[in-house]
Amino acid sequence: MTSRGHAGSVRFIAQRVAQIPIVVLAASALIFVFVQVLPGNPGRNALGPAATVEQVAAWNVAHGVDAGVLERYIAWLAGFVTGDWGTSIVYATPTFDLVLGRLGNSMALGLLAFALLMPVAIGIGILQALCAGSRRDRASTVILLALAAVPEFVIGVVLLIVFAVAIPVFPVQSGAAFGDGAVPELRALILPALTLAIGSLAVIARTTRSGIIDVTRSPHYRTAVVSGLGAGAIVRGHVARNALIPTVSILGVYLGSLLVGSAVVETLFGYPGLGELLVTATQRKDASVLAAGVTIAATVGVLAVLLADVAFTLIDPRVRFRGQSR
């Protein structure tokens, strides 16, 4: 990369980094407002039905619930930035430790799902592109579209029935294996990770297939072939780099969703991740966990998109040129 290209890349990435606090701030404001409109009295949710009206009112005053929405948001934002995220009314533990601990579990699950998904999906996409229009291509397309149409919880249930009940290779409840060592914990991750990967397989494979076909039909590819370049040089210099551009954008979005966990999959497998925590917090109206958890999920999603933007600057020279010309 030339010095001008490097400067353009740095400028492009810096612009994306500068946008992250603005996006997270806007997301946190929306999330906080949505949490405040949840039905029920926060003091009553925290103290339970046996508490008196006076105790509920005192709890609301002590926690600033009786203040205006803007005042509460500013106070919550100040606490969020300093690490004071409040206390979960369901788990009676600091929200900071609870959310980050569950986020770590979801990231472990998401990274495993991503590691299973990426090579398989890209490999299928490449094979489809090489035999585009053939019976094999059409058959694999039908299979992929069928998989994409099946909800994740159905895929998870089928995997549980086959590999946890009929053939008891993996545990039914993933959370039960935590604390038993690295190997049991890894076994507990396999089924939920496969469920997440299978649910995203079709989109990545089809995007890769389309990208490769578009490149091989382009004028610059035909020019490279006519000029006598070797097959390896054409694949490295023209096909792989250009075909991966649309795939990287999709992978960035899916990486963000995988890292913060899938509420459906984590609940189905009893996996103690962030998605399962947010489901419980919604059911029990745990406002502090909801506000902090969803804000953290939004932050991770934005950072995943930033990683995709960084990959763009390395793959696509046009991105560097646009960043340089601004």
Side-chain angles (χ1 to χ4, degrees):
M1 185 187 301
T2 65
S3 59
R4 292 182 62 191
H6 179 74
S9 298
V10 171
R11 184 179 304 173
F12 177 80
I13 295 172
Q15 290 174 347
R16 293 296 185 265
V17 172
Q19 292 170 357
I20 290 178
I22 301 173
V23 174
V24 172
L25 183 64
S28 68
L30 290 174
I31 292 162
F32 187 83
V33 171
F34 291 153
V35 169
Q36 302 311 306
V37 301
L38 288 175
N41 188 302
R44 179 64 64 189
N45 295 335
L47 301 177
T52 65
V53 176
E54 291 77 15
Q55 289 173 328
V56 170
W59 190 95
N60 287 335
V61 172
H63 291 81
V65 178
D66 59 331
V69 175
L70 179 60
E71 184 179 346
R72 278 182 285 165
Y73 172 69
I74 293 175
W76 174 83
L77 184 61
F80 184 84
V81 172
T82 58
D84 181 11
W85 297 359
T87 302
S88 168
I89 63 176
V90 174
Y91 299 92
T93 57
T95 300
F96 183 89
D97 299 331
L98 182 63
V99 169
L100 292 188
R102 293 296 190 92
L103 175 64
N105 292 342
S106 287
M107 291 184 72
L109 175 62
L111 288 174
L112 178 58
F114 192 75
L116 295 173
L117 166 67
M118 186 171 66
V120 174
I122 293 178
I124 291 175
I126 292 173
L127 292 177
Q128 281 193 294
L130 293 177
C131 60
S134 66
R135 291 183 179 179
R136 184 181 303 175
D137 178 37
R138 291 194 292 269
S140 57
T141 297
V142 171
I143 295 173
L144 288 174
L145 292 178
L147 284 176
V150 178
E152 284 185 336
F153 75 88
V154 175
I155 296 173
V157 169
V158 172
L159 291 178
L160 279 174
I161 292 174
V162 175
F163 296 106
V165 178
I167 308 173
V169 179
F170 303 104
V172 176
Q173 291 292 305
S174 299
F178 272 66
D180 295 339
V183 174
E185 290 180 5
L186 180 60
R187 288 178 61 246
L189 285 172
I190 295 298
L191 289 185
L194 277 175
T195 303
L196 289 172
I198 291 173
S200 306
L201 182 65
V203 176
I204 306 299
R206 296 296 293 174
T207 303
T208 304
R209 174 187 180 278
S210 299
I212 293 176
I213 291 176
D214 289 343
V215 171
T216 55
R217 292 175 178 174
S218 63
H220 70 269
Y221 173 81
R222 292 193 294 267
T223 301
V225 173
V226 172
S227 64
L229 289 177
I234 293 175
V235 171
R236 289 191 303 269
H238 296 275
V239 178
R241 181 182 292 267
N242 292 284
L244 281 178
I245 292 172
T247 305
V248 166
S249 63
I250 299 295
L251 284 174
V253 175
Y254 275 94
L255 176 61
S257 63
L258 291 174
L259 289 182
V260 297
S262 169
V264 174
V265 173
E266 290 181 355
T267 303
L268 175 64
F269 288 91
Y271 184 78
L274 184 60
E276 190 271 342
L277 175 66
L278 293 178
V279 170
T280 302
T282 303
Q283 294 171 340
R284 303 285 295 275
K285 302 178 180 64
D286 197 341
S288 66
V289 171
L290 268 177
V294 179
T295 301
I296 287 296
T299 303
V300 173
V302 172
L303 291 176
V305 174
L306 174 64
L307 286 177
D309 287 339
V310 173
F312 269 133
T313 65
L314 300 176
I315 296 174
D316 190 358
R318 292 170 297 181
V319 174
R320 298 195 292 269
F321 177 78
R322 287 194 296 266
Q324 178 183 336
S325 62
R326 291 176 181 173

